[in-house]
Amino acid sequence: MKSYNENLQNLLNLAPKWDFIERVSLDRALGRILADDIVAKSPYPAYPTSSMDGYAIKFTNQNNKIKVINIAPAGSSDDIAISENECVKTLTGALVCGGADTIVPIENVKLSGEYIEITRPVSQGFAIREVGESYKESELLLNSRTKLGYCELALLAELGYSYINVLARPRVAILSTGSEVLDIGQTKEHKAQIYSSNSISISSLLKDMGCEPIIMPIIKDDKQAIQTALQNALISADFIITTGGVSVGDFDFMRDIARESKIIIDGASIKPGRHIKVAKINDKFIFALPGFAYSAMVTCVLFFREFIEHIFGLKKVNKFKAILKDDYTKKSPFEEFSAASITNENGTIKISTATKKSGSSAIVGNLINGGVLLICPSDKDGLKAGEIVEYIEI
């Protein structure tokens, strides 16, 4: 089997660029991918503005008694100018009057009638937001293919946008297979049946990736039924994720169906998920993931998340380094991605698998409470406490 990196690179080499665009209101744009560069049409602020409550003065008048001739609240556009030994009481966010070059905070002055005396002088230009402090005209503020968080949305609102062009969410069909699997809400008829968690976990992961999940009905281990479901999914979805049926069992039909298509990944030398398959039918990609819950989530992150971020054009870092707290013993000859926890100990990031349960690839709870994936390369028998290791955030 090929390595994880080799398989991933082969997949990304075939990945298309996603350029389907839609227009959404700003209050519905959180987490969306920006489709256009955003350039400032004018400087901000456009005029000198006060950053605190105080008095607008000429810097050279600080040792004199200064007359208060007016007040400038935020939002006022009155044209006010001062002469020698004059000032204007200026509130936070207000435009600075003509002739002033410094704001003296209220707490730095003594007010006597209509005059102030400065008890604590300030530096020239103090508390004045100069023209273009935030950004200048024609300055590139956001690159296209930026994921919009709360700060980016605040900037767009400041610029006056109410609608914005974003990449359309890819529609991803989720098809869980297995005769033992029940849908949520169904009643168990015998002890061999289990409830499907894959549709919920994969759907949640997809939403976080910026996709629109389509949860399809669970299909029993019947090759014709699975093929029919796949054909329906190919019509309505951009990409397909299946869980279950990719191993070497008698009823693992997804393995055979994937191989009947243009196969891109036919297993990988990783644990968990070495039986993963990725195939392409025309311009549609099918990601056939393992059925075990932990394996399905891990392989979705390792392959599908990288695929989606690549076609979106995102430059996101998911891999980090930490110091290993405890020895780690390999369980296979493959590259292993094991559930772990990270802690910040006096500014040093440390990682440990001791907080996680040891067992099969079906332990969903191993990824709760901020779980990450410790990476143990295939050419190592294990990892020693104190080593600098790599991990992947989920």
Side-chain angles (χ1 to χ4, degrees), residues 6-315:
E6 188 177 2
N7 271 314
L8 180 61
Q9 193 56 57
N10 289 341
L11 172 64
L12 298 185
N13 287 342
L14 295 172
K17 182 178 180 181
W18 189 259
D19 53 9
F20 299 97
I21 296 173
E22 63 178 334
R23 194 164 180 79
V24 299
S25 60
L26 214 57
D27 63 339
R28 299 178 65 85
L30 182 65
R32 303 300 296 272
I33 311 301
L34 188 63
D36 306 310
D37 289 339
I38 300 297
V39 175
K41 296 179 181 178
S42 59
Y44 187 77
Y47 305 94
T49 306
S50 177
S51 64
M52 62 173 57
D53 295 337
Y55 295 87
I57 68 166
K58 291 185 176 181
F59 173 73
T60 54
N61 292 163
Q62 286 198 81
N63 296 323
N64 304 332
K65 201 171 185 179
I66 306 173
K67 185 178 181 180
V68 182
I69 64 168
N70 212 324
I71 182 170
S76 172
S77 60
D78 294 343
D79 288 329
I80 304 172
I82 60 172
S83 300
E84 289 296 319
N85 298 319
E86 291 182 339
C87 69
V88 171
K89 188 174 184 180
T90 306
L91 304 184
T92 302
L95 301 182
V96 176
C97 61
D101 60 7
T102 302
I103 300 291
V104 181
I106 287 176
E107 55 269 30
N108 288 30
V109 308
K110 178 182 177 182
L111 180 63
S112 300
E114 58 182 2
Y115 288 89
I116 64 167
E117 293 182 25
I118 298 173
T119 56
R120 283 184 292 165
V122 295
S123 58
Q124 186 170 10
F126 186 82
I128 290 182
R129 296 191 65 210
E130 298 294 343
V131 173
E133 178 193 77
S134 292
Y135 41 81
K136 296 176 173 54
E137 184 176 356
S138 301
E139 183 177 342
L140 176 63
L141 302 178
L142 293 173
N143 289 297
S144 65
R145 309 277 169 160
T146 294
K147 190 170 185 177
L148 297 174
Y150 66 89
C151 189
E152 288 81 6
L153 293 178
L155 177 59
L156 290 167
E158 183 177 85
L159 290 164
Y161 286 91
S162 55
Y163 283 81
I164 198 75
N165 291 338
V166 297
L167 298 184
R169 291 190 178 103
R171 291 166 55 85
V172 185
I174 304 169
L175 177 60
S176 296
T177 67
S179 296
E180 78 282 15
V181 180
L182 291 179
D183 214 339
I184 296 171
Q186 287 185 289
T187 301
K188 287 186 178 182
E189 297 177 353
H190 55 78
K191 62 183 181 182
Q193 293 178 315
I194 60 173
Y195 288 112
S196 171
S197 64
N198 285 339
S199 57
I200 296 301
S201 63
I202 300 302
S203 172
S204 300
L205 280 168
L206 292 178
K207 289 177 182 177
D208 190 55
M209 295 174 196
C211 301
E212 180 183 340
I214 306 168
I215 300 178
M216 301 183 67
I218 292 173
I219 304 297
K220 303 302 180 184
D221 289 321
D222 178 281
K223 187 173 183 178
Q224 185 57 53
I226 294 173
Q227 285 179 322
T228 299
L230 281 175
Q231 289 302 321
N232 291 334
L234 287 168
I235 295 171
S236 60
D238 299 300
F239 308 110
I240 300 171
I241 292 179
T242 70
T243 63
V246 295
S247 188
V248 292
D250 293 342
F251 300 100
D252 287 332
F253 297 123
M254 276 308 306
R255 171 199 61 210
D256 301 324
I257 292 171
R259 286 173 175 167
E260 290 169 5
S261 312
K262 179 181 178 180
I263 194 76
I264 300 171
I265 297 177
D266 192 3
S269 58
I270 61 174
K271 179 179 174 60
R274 66 190 176 99
H275 295 298
I276 183 175
K277 307 286 186 291
V278 179
K280 186 179 181 184
I281 299 178
N282 297 323
D283 59 344
K284 305 288 181 78
F285 288 75
I286 301 174
F287 291 74
L289 310 182
F292 271 155
Y294 176 78
S295 296
M297 289 187 284
V298 169
T299 49
C300 184
V301 167
L302 292 180
F303 291 95
F304 192 77
R305 184 173 70 179
E306 294 289 335
F307 174 81
I308 284 295
E309 289 179 356
H310 182 81
I311 68 172
F312 279 166
L314 297 178
K315 296 178 181 179

